[in-house]
Amino acid sequence: MAGELIRMEHIHKFYGRVHALDDVNFVVREREIVGLLGDNGAGKSTLIKVLSGAVPISSGAIYVHGRKVDIRRTSDAIAQGIETIYQDSALVPQLSIARNLFLGREPLRAPHFLNRMDQAAMDEVARRLLRQVGITKDIPPSIPVSALSGGERQAVAIARAMYFDSELIILDEPTNNLGVAETQGVLRFVRAARDSGHSCIFIAHNIHHVFQVVDRIVVMRHGKIVADDIDPRHTTIEAVEQVITGMSDAELGTAAP
Amino acid sequence: MNQGSLLQRLIARPEAGPFVLLLVEIIVFGSLNPDFLSPENIGNTLAFTVELGLIALAMTLLMTSGEFDLSVGSVFGFAPVLMWTLFNGGIVPLNVAFVAALAMAAVIGLVNGWFVTRLKITSFLVTLGMLLVVRGTALFITQGFPQRTWSAGGHALTSILVGEFRVGRMRLYMSLFWFIAAALALGYVLTGTKVGNWIQASGGNAGAARARGVNVDRTKVSLFVLSAVMSAFAGIISSIRTSAANPNSGTGYELEVIAMVVIGGTALTGGRGTVIGTVLGIFILRAMRNGIILVGVPGLAYNIFIGAIILGMMALHASLERRHHAGT
Ligand SMILES: Nc1ncnc2c1ncn2[C@@H]1O[C@H](COP(=O)(O)OP(=O)(O)O)[C@@H](O)[C@H]1O
Ligand SMILES: [Mg+2]
């Protein structure tokens, strides 16, 4: 069994009176894709926002590789190797693919006081990464991200997370508003990320997408985790749907106390 | 790369429209009145063009970062008033007064930047307020009267800043070289450097830039400082050249400068900017003002043409932008 990457313990999150996360315990292991399922309002987005530094926790603790960490801002999470990929919002549309990949970590050419970016090196890495995440179309790294489709943008964001060795890549509903081919593309990038040693949290409305790609399913309901060890290879979509809606008593892979 | 696609790529650049417009202006005005292209006219037109141009270059970077500065005209008027008041009063030597005026401008820029980034007030309101404060201060300390400047004759500083020289029958000023140097330096910064990448990212998607560790606030504050210091520099150059430091000078320049920048293809909303475009925009507007008068159109009609140019160029840039997004 692979080691533990992320451990979240007794997490509570209140939005005013709304108890969005109610004593959540959640673990992500190394090299694993976790599918996070639950009805609208179950608290999935809140859980990953807490982990990615987008919102502060009300109480609880977060550990990375067993070490307690303090995540207050998005940049804190990125520094811990946790990268969240929202549709669009993580990229600068006007900048080229290569410059987006290296934003904030631009390689410089000597002499450094001229502050000149090493464009050739950035383009070279970008080209290689695009192939690695399975973009077969010949997209030059110099074109602006605004010219890419939604799926391609997510591929760029995933490529960036992989290159800078994010250990955990979080995708919140990455397949919404995508066509069939693009969805398959995103699922392929997720697998590619896992195969090169990264872990993923994958949230999607469409359970079929989740079943195609994840190693383990975690289900949330009303701010609580109600099942945290469902193996998609040993269950059916119908059974998981029942856990999500709360119609099943004999819950699969019930959360350990 | 074959010829056809190279040509297509040139046409698709945001600077292509402004470039063609400038050519058309030069051809039309030049053929209607040969004086338009005379060395005397070019020299005379350039003198003031580069002074406004210095401000427009700084404004290009500021606007690319998603902000703009309405206080540039007031700083253009205030900085020379401060410099000459300090010098004429026998308080400090001219060089020190010059540095003090630039430092004062830097403080004005810092305050602008601080209000915008820390207090999250839009740059429109902050710099509009600053315009009134700075202009009011210039009027107050001079009681509305112009300052004497002629006592500076023969000073090394004045010849370095705006020394006069001739190329044939063309009378030029050293300020032309300051403009060229600023255009090259800022063009390089915006397109080739890490700082330039941060400027574009700050204007394009500040949240994404922050998440990658880009210091968006510091980037913007630095550009407010640059904008104010360049305006002060331009104002001082202008006051030495015209031998006048009028507390009212620079009134209305902010809009002319912003027009130059957007005509060149820099986005008012930030994220995308071009120094080459701004240089073209500077010459488009100044050639228009000069040409209209030379061909006998009443000077009062100038704004009609400027407005039409701005609208036409905005339509062009918007359509290029849409094609860009469509990935064609
Ligand atoms: N910013 C917010 N302010 C107040 N309530 C919120 C906010 N964000 C989410 N909530 C509430 O928290 C609960 C969980 O929401 P969310 O995490 O978005 O669920 P999911 O992603 O599973 O659909 C919901 O009841 C939602 O209304
Ligand atoms: Mg959600």
Side-chain angles (χ1 to χ4, degrees), chain A residues 13-120:
Chain A
K13 173 66 194 177
F14 292 90
Y15 290 113
R17 287 248 201 79
V18 181
H19 202 170
L21 296 177
D22 182 358
D23 198 35
V24 166
N25 294 293
F26 179 65
V27 166
V28 181
R29 291 185 274 269
E30 289 167 4
R31 291 175 172 263
E32 123 174 294
I33 306 177
V34 178
L36 192 53
L37 291 176
D39 224 336
N40 264 337
K44 308 179 295 293
S45 294
T46 303
L47 181 63
I48 62 113
K49 279 181 186 160
V50 157
L51 189 51
S52 62
V55 300
I57 48 175
S58 304
S59 68
I62 302 175
Y63 302 85
V64 177
H65 287 303
R67 205 164 26 82
K68 192 164 185 293
V69 295
D70 201 10
I71 295 175
R72 292 160 193 263
R73 274 174 300 189
T74 328
S75 49
D76 295 338
I78 291 174
Q80 294 294 340
I82 300 168
E83 181 95 27
T84 311
I85 291 158
Y86 303 100
Q87 288 207 2
D88 270 3
S89 64
L91 301 171
V92 180
Q94 294 90 345
L95 289 180
S96 72
I97 297 175
R99 290 195 177 187
N100 262 289
L101 280 172
F102 285 94
L103 182 58
R105 297 162 172 81
E106 297 86 348
L108 294 184
R109 287 173 58 155
H112 284 196
F113 72 89
L114 286 178
N115 201 248
R116 179 154 173 226
M117 287 184 287
D118 192 342
Q119 191 67 51

Side-chain angles (χ1 to χ4, degrees), chain A residues 10 30 34-35 61 66-67 80 84 90 114 117 157 167 179 188 195 212 215-216 231-233 244 250 253:
Chain A
H10 305 297
E30 289 167 4
V34 178
R67 205 164 26 82
Q80 294 294 340
T84 311
L114 286 178
M117 287 184 287
E167 294 187 272
R188 204 166 58 231
D195 292 345
Q212 278 180 55
D215 302 312
R216 180 163 64 95
D231 187 335
R233 283 159 305 184
I244 292 171

Side-chain angles (χ1 to χ4, degrees), chain B residues 130-152:
Chain B
M130 187 57 84
L131 183 166
L132 297 172
V133 170
V134 172
R135 180 70 70 200
T137 308
L139 287 168
F140 180 72
I141 62 177
T142 59
Q143 296 299 307
F145 293 110
Q147 300 298 291
R148 286 184 299 122
T149 65
W150 54 87
S151 47

Side-chain angles (χ1 to χ4, degrees), chain B residues 62 65-71 75 104-131 134 210 215-229:
Chain B
L62 180 63
S65 82
E67 307 294 343
F68 57 87
D69 186 353
L70 296 178
S71 68
V75 175
M104 189 62 218
V107 171
I108 292 170
L110 269 179
V111 173
N112 279 336
W114 188 81
F115 269 84
V116 169
T117 59
R118 283 297 141 81
L119 304 186
K120 317 256 180 259
I121 305 172
T122 64
S123 50
F124 176 80
L125 295 174
V126 170
T127 61
L128 183 63
M130 187 57 84
L131 183 166
V134 172
R210 277 199 189 93
N215 196 328
V216 172
D217 290 354
R218 198 195 301 159
T219 304
K220 289 185 174 181
V221 171
S222 313
L223 293 175
F224 274 111
V225 171
L226 177 72
S227 160
V229 170

Side-chain angles (χ1 to χ4, degrees), chain A residues 33-37 44-45 48 84-88 149-155 157-158 169-191 200-206 209-210 213-214:
Chain A
I33 306 177
V34 178
L36 192 53
L37 291 176
K44 308 179 295 293
S45 294
I48 62 113
T84 311
I85 291 158
Y86 303 100
Q87 288 207 2
D88 270 3
S149 70
E152 287 162 350
R153 290 180 198 198
Q154 295 189 47
I158 293 172
I169 302 175
I170 302 173
L171 297 107
D172 192 359
E173 316 230 359
T175 54
N176 279 9
N177 312 317
L178 293 190
V180 176
E182 290 216 297
T183 298
Q184 290 307 319
V186 170
L187 297 181
R188 204 166 58 231
F189 311 143
V190 173
R191 278 187 215 105
C200 290
I201 298 174
F202 186 88
I203 302 176
H205 240 70
N206 188 323
H209 297 164
V210 175
V213 71
V214 308

